[in-house]
């Protein structure tokens, strides 16, 4: 870890192929700032990405990274962090990736509380496959596969996380650069599973959940002195409020003990002896 | 005098059949006798017929046979299920005082040994010990010193306190004494003991032990019969060496967690059975194309779908060889015996890292649930060698960077093996992806780079074929006209079948294969034989198909797919019939 790391050190020399104006640009910048601000460098950082426009993020960042298969990014992150707890692990993906195909892993990753950060670029649409409804799409949102709207209630990812025992639940808006970076940074610093749902508009396929829509409707919990993110009941009210959109750290359990800590995962498992361990014959003797 | 003894206890699941069988098997092993056990169980926790069979001899035993000499029957069904294995003079121990057993029908030529198991157990301190009373009775029948049982009773019950241990030891003695006092029959068995030290373990345990020895420090899995035991073995043991086991939410997750750990640089493994392999297939291609070293163990059972979870089959070979979309190199190694489960696991880890490929370790139910005795030296830890392949440390990283100082994890080297570095290594940060990528690991659709990368990955296989020993194990008469070939767990039964065949004056050459891919070229061996018979536990003959394809020669097939492993005597008969058939045709 070095101290003179700047966030641009996390940028790769690949030009993003995202549509101009895509919310993912801002989301990525905030992630890079958060990593640099917390004193990480690319060589001790591992980014795992899902599949989707959002999932391309690992390509545009510079660090150790894996771009996996659709919906399975979280388990990869779990494995990386378990095997080498010294690494800073950040997992990123879209709402389709994380709450549709990968929703099972999401719930269990939250429960497991491994010390890592999960950033979801929520654009309420499938971008990469060109505009089908996603699990967070509104009930009446018309898309190529939902001419009448999906006609099913959207998933509330924050509620899922809270119900699964989430220890850090936050939401941000990619275009509010300062706040977004701040919130992701808090997630990185959290001892446990730091989950941030980022409103990251798709300018090409979603004309409902737009920059303007979020800008107008967002309530920043950070500006509310009364709001205490460690208060579970207050958090529940905010999370279940379907009338408004919020940003900020919505819930944080300060007593959180990460999986790594509770399971004594402290060693870098990459280091192994040249042959069998010294007392390996004991393994055989157990079978007498 | 028989040179080996076949013993069984059978009853309903929940009757303590397994632990009773294991106590007896361990007692025999500690008494310096070789043991080979097998289990017959249904897929339910309570109720349903279950049996634990033990074959024991002073010489090494490697298979089961169709013969039962002593049977402890806790239910009528136990006798019915085993009728065709019982013979004149077989001893059946049962409790005639139990209402359900009063009308037990013991066939005429057999010796019926009615022992009040429950009553004697109560005398020793509790009805629950009735199986142990039966063990004592069996010791008397087999003329096996009951003192040898004491130690394994102690091992089994010591956590419950000395009183329980002593009660059990007493229960065994009451069983023995009852037979001694009430039957003046001269039994023909006399189980010799020796000074040999043996260990007794099953294939799943051998795989787990091999994994730790090989430096595997990480395991992620999801429980499934018959692979669960690998995870259970590692849990609590791998931690002693700084490792961890994670029970995932499903197999999709398990293999991705294992993949993450492997990317972080740990020697990592997952194990499952057919249904789990199906789920893992999604990520399999990712592992292969990102060139991640990972050991994926498939402990096969009867398929398709949920099939017969507690029954034997070797029908996932095609899935392991071809499963997954697209084309990717992988290695498939199938241990042939329980001790080979240990050795091949170690080899699998070395192959995975040397060639940066996923390695399927193809075990099966027959290996997983049977236990066998070995000299501890067979698991020689000093001989374990660890080869991590082209793992680049910080000092050497520059050699693998391009002009811009970027590390090239998929550099198209001549031997196809690229440099690999673990996260945390400075100057090595890089991206890897399931998308086709260039030497930097970055997405590409460039036609030339695509071809270059596909060829590079394929070259690893060619390199491995050259550098490694992919030979087979050979038994029997090398000059015989008949060549039998099998893969995986059939080796023991076939080896013993060779003896039966020899008794009938038939000599056979036997080749046992553990490398499925890459594999030995058997063209010469097959061409020089008059008749080739491929033995495997599946209906379609998946390995036979492969060999025909490799060698452009037709082979005969012996396939078994009723869910039960090959037995030595049965296999000998099958081979004999097959030889006779071909002589008829040519005559
Ligand atoms: C197993 C599998 N199924 C389907 C796809 C096709 N696919 C690619 S991205 C995607 C949805 C992505 O949506 P989201 O996660 O919201 O990301 P976005 O593109 O909107 O950022 C789908 C269905 C795939 N790659 N893999
Ligand atoms: S399609 Fe939408 S999500 Fe994808 S890059 Fe374009 S704007 Fe971004």
């Amino acid at each position: 870890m070095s101290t003179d790391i700047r966030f641009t050190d996390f940028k790769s020399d690949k030009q993003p192929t995202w549509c101009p104006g895509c919310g993912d640009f801002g989301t990525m910048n905030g992630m890079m700032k958060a990593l640099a601000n917390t004193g990480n460098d690319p060589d001790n950082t591992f980014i795992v990405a899902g599949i989707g426009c959002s999932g391309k993020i690992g390509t545009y960042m510079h660090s150790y990274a894996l771009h996996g298969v659709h919906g399975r990014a979280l388990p990869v992150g779990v494995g990386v962090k378990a095997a080498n707890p010294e690494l800073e692990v950040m997992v990123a993906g879209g709402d389709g990736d994380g709450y549709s195909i990968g929703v099972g892993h999401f719930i269990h990753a939250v429960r497991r509380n491994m010390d890592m950060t999960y950033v979801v670029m929520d654009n309420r649409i499938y971008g990469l496959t060109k505009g089908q409804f996603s699990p967070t799409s509104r009930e009446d949102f018309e898309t190529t596969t939902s001419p009448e709207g999906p006609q099913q209630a959207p998933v509330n990812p924050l509620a899922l996380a809270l119900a699964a025992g989430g220890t850090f639940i936050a939401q941000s808006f990619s275009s509010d650069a300062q706040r977004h970076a701040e919130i992701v940074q808090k997630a990185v610093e959290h001892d446990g599973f730091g989950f941030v749902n980022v409103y990251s508009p798709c300018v090409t396929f979603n004309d409902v959940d737009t920059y303007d829509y979020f800008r107008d409707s967002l309530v920043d919990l950070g500006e509310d002195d009364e709001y205490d993110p460690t208060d579970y009941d207050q958090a529940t009210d905010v999370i279940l409020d379907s009338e408004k959109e919020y940003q900020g750290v919505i819930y944080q359990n300060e007593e959180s003990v990460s999986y790594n800590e509770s399971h004594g995962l402290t060693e870098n498992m990459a280091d192994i002896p040249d042959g069998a361990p010294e007392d390996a014959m004991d393994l055989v003797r157990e079978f007498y | 005098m028989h040179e080996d003894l076949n013993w069984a206890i059978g009853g309903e699941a929940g009757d303590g059949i397994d632990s009773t069988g294991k106590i007896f098997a361990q007692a025999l092993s500690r008494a310096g006798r070789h043991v080979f056990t097998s289990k017959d169980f249904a897929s339910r926790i309570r109720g349903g017929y279950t049996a634990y069979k033990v074959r024991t001899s002073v010489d090494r035993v490697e298979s089961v046979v169709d013969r039962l000499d002593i049977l402890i029957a806790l239910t009528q069904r136990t006798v019915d299920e085993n009728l065709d294995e019982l013979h004149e003079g077989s001893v059946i121990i049962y409790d005639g005082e139990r209402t359900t057993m009063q009308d037990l029908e013991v066939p005429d030529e057999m010796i019926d040994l009615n022992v009040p198991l429950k009553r004697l157990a109560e005398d020793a301190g509790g009805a629950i010990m009735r199986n142990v009373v039966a063990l004592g009775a069996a010791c008397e029948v087999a003329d096996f010193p009951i003192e040898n049982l004491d130690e394994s009773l102690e091992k089994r019950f010591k956590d419950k306190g000395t009183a329980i241990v002593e009660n059990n030891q007493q229960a065994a003695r009451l069983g023995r004494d009852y037979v001694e006092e009430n039957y003046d029959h001269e039994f023909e068995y006399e189980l010799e003991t020796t000074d040999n030290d043996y260990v007794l373990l099953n294939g799943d345990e051998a795989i787990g032990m091999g994994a730790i020895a090989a430096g595997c420090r990480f395991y992620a899995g999801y429980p499934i019969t018959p692979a669960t035991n690998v995870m259970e073995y590692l849990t609590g043991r791998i931690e002693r060496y700084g490792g961890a086991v994670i029970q995932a939410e499903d197999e999709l997750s398990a293999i991705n967690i294992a993949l993450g750990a492997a990317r972080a640089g740990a020697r990592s493994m997952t194990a499952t059975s057919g249904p789990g392999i199906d789920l893992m297939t999604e990520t399999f291609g990712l592992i292969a194309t990102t060139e991640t070293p990972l050991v994926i163990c498939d402990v096969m059972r009867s398929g398709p779908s949920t099939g017969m979870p507690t029954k034997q089959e070797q029908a996932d070979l095609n899935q392991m060889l071809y499963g997954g979309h697209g084309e990717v190199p992988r290695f498939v190694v199938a241990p042939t015996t329980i001790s080979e489960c240990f050795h091949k696991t170690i080899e699998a880890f070395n192959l995975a890292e040397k060639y940066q490929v996923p390695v399927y370790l193809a075990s099966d139910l027959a290996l997983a649930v049977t236990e066998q005795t070995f000299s501890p030296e067979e698991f020689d830890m000093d001989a374990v060698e660890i080869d991590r392949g082209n793992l680049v440390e910080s000092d050497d990283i520059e050699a693998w960077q391009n002009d811009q100082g970027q590390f090239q994890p998929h550099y198209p080297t001549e031997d196809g093996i690229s440099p690999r570095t673990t996260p945390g290594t400075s100057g090595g940060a890089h991206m890897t992806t399931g998308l086709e990528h260039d030497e930097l690991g970055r997405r590409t659709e460039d036609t030339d780079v695509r071809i270059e990368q596909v060829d590079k990955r394929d070259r690893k296989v060619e390199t491995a074929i050259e550098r490694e020993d992919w030979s087979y194990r050979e038994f029997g008469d090398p000059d015989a006209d008949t060549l039998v070939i099998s893969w995986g767990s059939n080796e023991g039964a076939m080896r013993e079948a060779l003896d039966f065949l020899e008794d009938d004056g038939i000599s056979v050459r036997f080749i046992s294969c553990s490398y499925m891919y890459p594999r030995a070229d058997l063209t010469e061996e097959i061409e020089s034989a008059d008749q080739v018979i491929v033995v495997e536990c599946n209906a379609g003959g998946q390995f036979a198909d492969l060999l025909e394809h490799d060698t452009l020669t037709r082979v005969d097939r012996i396939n078994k797919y009723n869910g039960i492993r090959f037995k030595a005597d049965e296999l000998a008969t099958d081979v004999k019939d097959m030889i006779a058939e071909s002589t008829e045709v040519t005559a």
Side-chain angles (χ1 to χ4, degrees), chain B residues 334-394:
Chain B
T336 55
T337 63
I338 290 168
S339 80
E340 280 299 289
C341 285
F342 172 81
H343 297 290
K344 287 288 177 276
T345 301
I346 296 169
E347 207 178 320
F349 279 101
N350 285 337
L351 289 173
E353 286 203 317
K354 273 164 84 173
Y355 298 98
Q356 299 172 29
V357 289
V359 179
Y360 273 122
L361 186 66
S363 180
D364 60 32
L365 182 126
L367 291 171
V369 305
T370 54
E371 291 131 326
Q372 197 180 343
T373 35
F374 298 94
S375 302
E377 297 81 62
E378 219 158 313
F379 306 98
D380 182 1
M381 294 294 177
D382 292 334
V384 172
E385 278 176 28
I386 290 177
D387 188 341
R388 305 212 66 183
N390 194 10
L391 191 60
V392 183
E393 311 281 346
S394 303

Side-chain angles (χ1 to χ4, degrees), chain B residues 186-435:
Chain B
E186 273 292 306
F187 300 105
E188 54 185 316
Y189 306 102
E190 199 180 312
L191 292 193
E192 246 178 88
T193 59
T194 77
D195 293 334
N196 292 327
D197 267 340
Y198 294 132
V199 289
L200 180 72
L201 72 173
N202 68 32
D204 276 358
E205 290 164 337
I207 288 170
M209 191 165 81
I212 294 181
C216 171
R217 291 295 171 265
F218 190 82
Y219 179 96
Y222 187 75
I224 185 169
T225 304
T228 311
N229 210 224
V230 176
M231 176 156 63
E232 288 174 342
Y233 175 82
L234 290 173
T235 303
R237 287 190 182 80
I238 203 168
E239 290 84 350
R240 291 186 218 151
Y241 302 92
V245 170
I246 287 187
Q247 180 174 320
E249 58 271 24
D250 55 38
E251 288 86 351
L252 296 156
S253 176
I255 193 164
N256 278 283
I257 295 177
L259 157 67
R263 290 303 314 180
R267 281 202 157 183
S268 172
M269 168 162 97
T270 182
T272 184
S273 191
I277 290 290
D278 285 353
L279 295 183
M280 290 184 179
T281 303
E282 182 196 42
T283 296
F284 178 79
L286 173 67
I287 295 164
T289 197
T290 56
E291 307 190 59
T292 306
L294 193 72
V295 177
I296 306 163
C297 173
D298 179 2
V299 189
M300 293 176 281
R301 65 186 208 184
S302 293
S305 190
T306 327
M308 299 195 289
T310 60
K311 303 295 173 195
Q312 161 71 353
E313 204 165 85
Q314 296 177 292
D316 300 354
L317 180 60
N318 285 343
Q319 167 80 343
M320 284 182 266
L321 289 172
Y322 309 117
H325 69 281
E327 299 168 306
V328 274
R330 81 261 327 258
F331 293 171
V332 183
V333 179
T336 55
T337 63
I338 290 168
S339 80
E340 280 299 289
C341 285
F342 172 81
H343 297 290
K344 287 288 177 276
T345 301
I346 296 169
E347 207 178 320
F349 279 101
N350 285 337
L351 289 173
E353 286 203 317
K354 273 164 84 173
Y355 298 98
Q356 299 172 29
V357 289
V359 179
Y360 273 122
L361 186 66
S363 180
D364 60 32
L365 182 126
L367 291 171
V369 305
T370 54
E371 291 131 326
Q372 197 180 343
T373 35
F374 298 94
S375 302
E377 297 81 62
E378 219 158 313
F379 306 98
D380 182 1
M381 294 294 177
D382 292 334
V384 172
E385 278 176 28
I386 290 177
D387 188 341
R388 305 212 66 183
N390 194 10
L391 191 60
V392 183
E393 311 281 346
S394 303
D395 301 344
D396 300 319
I397 211 114
E398 242 175 272
W400 294 100
Q401 285 171 333
N402 66 8
D403 301 347
Q404 283 98 55
Q406 292 162 314
F407 182 68
Q408 305 172 90
H410 301 287
Y411 188 81
T413 54
E414 230 164 83
D415 59 7
I417 302 162
S418 302
R420 188 165 73 94
T421 192
T422 59
T425 308
S426 58
H430 66 272
M431 156 89 187
T432 184
T433 172
L435 294 163

Side-chain angles (χ1 to χ4, degrees), chain A residues 8-258:
Chain A
T8 45
D9 292 333
F10 283 95
K11 237 188 171 93
S12 84
D13 57 4
K14 267 260 183 210
Q15 279 307 312
T17 56
W18 288 318
C19 309
C22 175
D24 294 350
F25 286 98
T27 307
M28 180 170 76
N29 283 336
M31 288 164 63
M32 297 193 294
K33 281 189 184 132
L35 284 166
N37 289 351
T38 45
N40 291 291
D41 65 35
D43 287 327
N44 85 314
T45 303
F46 202 110
I47 309 272
V48 190
I51 296 290
C53 296
S54 45
K56 292 179 179 177
I57 196 157
T59 316
Y60 311 139
M61 291 176 67
H62 172 63
S63 72
Y64 282 94
L66 184 129
H67 179 219
V69 289
H70 196 25
R72 322 277 171 228
L74 281 171
V76 176
V78 167
V80 172
K81 187 71 187 181
N84 187 354
E86 290 155 19
L87 299 174
E88 189 62 50
V89 176
M90 193 176 271
V91 179
D95 40 305
D97 188 74
Y99 309 144
S100 207
I101 188 166
V103 71
H105 304 312
F106 173 53
I107 304 282
H108 292 284
V110 170
R111 286 179 57 221
R112 204 173 272 124
N113 205 30
M114 190 71 85
D115 188 15
M116 56 202 256
T117 307
Y118 183 38
V119 177
V120 178
M121 287 157 253
D122 184 0
N123 54 14
R124 300 182 172 174
I125 186 110
Y126 283 9
L128 193 67
T129 47
K130 301 202 166 98
Q132 301 78 28
F133 69 88
S134 95
T136 50
S137 294
R138 296 161 190 245
E139 225 166 321
D140 57 357
F141 183 51
E142 293 169 19
T143 71
T144 53
T145 52
S146 63
E148 319 274 314
Q151 303 188 26
Q152 44 188 317
V155 150
N156 179 340
L158 307 177
L160 285 182
L162 191 73
T167 57
F168 184 97
I169 301 168
Q171 192 154 261
S172 65
F173 178 32
S174 70
S175 119
D176 193 344
Q178 177 71 20
R179 279 293 280 145
H180 164 61
E182 220 172 87
I183 291 165
V184 176
Q185 182 173 338
K186 286 191 170 131
V188 173
E189 282 161 355
H190 176 70
D191 182 25
F193 190 78
F195 165 53
V196 189
N197 190 65
V198 188
Y199 291 134
S200 188
C202 170
V203 292
T204 306
F205 296 111
N206 194 332
D207 52 8
V208 180
D209 297 296
T210 58
Y211 284 102
D212 283 344
Y213 163 72
F214 286 113
R215 221 170 267 136
D216 293 346
S217 51
L218 261 192
V219 175
D220 192 340
L221 294 168
E223 288 166 7
D224 179 353
D225 292 341
E226 305 278 281
Y227 192 77
D228 174 10
T230 65
D231 181 342
Y232 191 86
D233 293 335
Q234 268 190 330
T236 310
D237 289 343
V238 163
I239 285 172
L240 296 182
D241 178 2
S242 54
E243 303 293 311
K244 290 194 201 108
E245 312 287 358
Y246 292 92
Q247 74 170 341
V249 176
I250 297 173
Y251 180 66
Q252 181 164 22
N253 180 344
E254 288 181 314
E255 256 110 72
S256 166
V257 180
S258 68

